[in-house]
Amino acid sequence: MMKLYPENYDVTIDVLFTDNSGNPLVVTGVTAELYDGDDEQIEDFGSIPFDLADGKVTVTVPADLNVLGVGELSAARTLRVYLGNGTIVFPRFHSYIIEAESRLELLNNTFLTLPAAEVLARDNPRLTAWSAATDEKKTAALINAYGRLSRVQLRYASHKVEHKVVSTSNPVRHDRDRDRCDVVIKPGDWADITKADFLAMPIDLRKALRAAQIVEANEVLTDNPYETRHRAGVISETVGESSIMLRGGKLELGVSYEALRALTGFVYYSVRVARA
């Protein structure tokens, strides 16, 4: 399992002077390079000083090379160290993860924070998988649930109120009408929606999304085999003489039934029929 380090932190890695069988290696030269998660080189450290008597070399990746990019909450780093004995070069790869102070960021990968999710979970006794999970798994489940929910097309009603002056002698403002304006959030739109935009949306929609996310996170942690197969498009399954009929007849949106129920009134089914 890869080690985790906070962002902007010096990472020190020891590399033992051993060959591929674990036997002591008489090293004559050491070089090192640093790569990101896309296998792009970040830094070439060149030759690294060492003392053969130590039986190892210590390579320090400075903090300024462990800084996250814009929008990143975590990122991978791989330190490639090459041990040479004058004849053969032995590569040694050491990978680690750098993380922001919090892996959850509103409207980047979640609709609610972990503490807010815990508050919601207290009022839902059916979230048994959530209750048994560690904070690390809960965070991962919330991120996964956000990814699923962000692919569901939603719609909510926005109302614009117009006024007019009835009389100049009695300048009282009256509601003339309410123009209903449906706002549609398509899959992919969440990438352009800011925290301020989200907080300006109707509170009912925000509550529904948060409730759906905690329910879907519980589903992720439960790993229900029937829901998994249904999302994969399986309608029926036969093994030997046993046959299982899964729920069918509904448009599959990639999230659990419980999450969709939490979003009742906001899910927008839009189907266009075009002439070939």
Side-chain angles (χ1 to χ4, degrees), residues 48-158:
I48 305 294
F50 65 93
D51 187 339
L52 187 60
D54 293 336
K56 66 178 182 179
V57 62
T58 299
V59 182
T60 299
V61 179
D64 61 339
L65 298 180
N66 291 319
V67 177
L68 296 170
V70 177
E72 284 188 318
L73 297 176
S74 61
R77 295 287 187 269
T78 297
L79 180 67
R80 300 180 181 180
V81 180
Y82 302 93
L83 308 177
N85 68 351
T87 304
I88 304 174
V89 174
F90 297 85
R92 299 289 183 262
F93 294 175
H94 295 264
S95 297
Y96 60 93
I97 297 172
I98 55 174
E99 283 193 341
E101 184 175 348
S102 174
R103 285 183 62 198
L104 291 171
E105 183 176 300
L106 200 65
L107 270 291
N108 186 319
N109 59 5
T110 187
F111 294 115
L112 76 172
T113 62
L114 182 58
E118 294 288 16
V119 172
L120 286 181
R122 290 176 58 193
D123 298 327
N124 192 336
R126 301 182 63 181
L127 304 180
T128 55
W130 173 272
S131 301
T134 63
D135 284 353
E136 177 66 23
K137 288 187 176 181
K138 288 176 180 178
T139 298
L142 285 173
I143 293 173
N144 192 291
Y146 176 84
R148 294 182 181 182
L149 291 171
S150 64
R151 294 191 291 269
V152 177
Q153 186 165 262
L154 304 174
R155 179 175 65 180
Y156 66 91
S158 175

Side-chain angles (χ1 to χ4, degrees), residues 160-206:
K160 180 180 178 182
V161 180
E162 295 186 3
H163 304 275
K164 72 173 183 178
V165 176
V166 175
S167 167
T168 54
S169 60
N170 183 22
V172 179
R173 297 169 67 87
H174 294 273
D175 291 349
R176 185 178 70 184
D177 58 12
R178 286 180 177 270
D179 295 333
R180 181 185 176 92
C181 177
D182 285 341
V183 178
V184 177
I185 304 175
K186 300 177 182 178
D189 284 354
W190 288 109
D192 299 319
I193 296 176
T194 66
K195 178 180 177 181
D197 295 333
F198 180 64
L199 295 177
M201 292 179 183
I203 189 171
D204 288 348
L205 172 62
R206 286 184 279 135

Side-chain angles (χ1 to χ4, degrees), residues 7 19 24 36 70 96 127 154 173 191 214 227 230 235 240 245 264 268:
E7 180 188 14
D19 61 19
D36 63 15
V70 177
Y96 60 93
L127 304 180
L154 304 174
R173 297 169 67 87
I214 185 67
E227 283 286 352
H230 180 63
I235 302 299
M245 180 65 70
T264 298
Y268 182 40

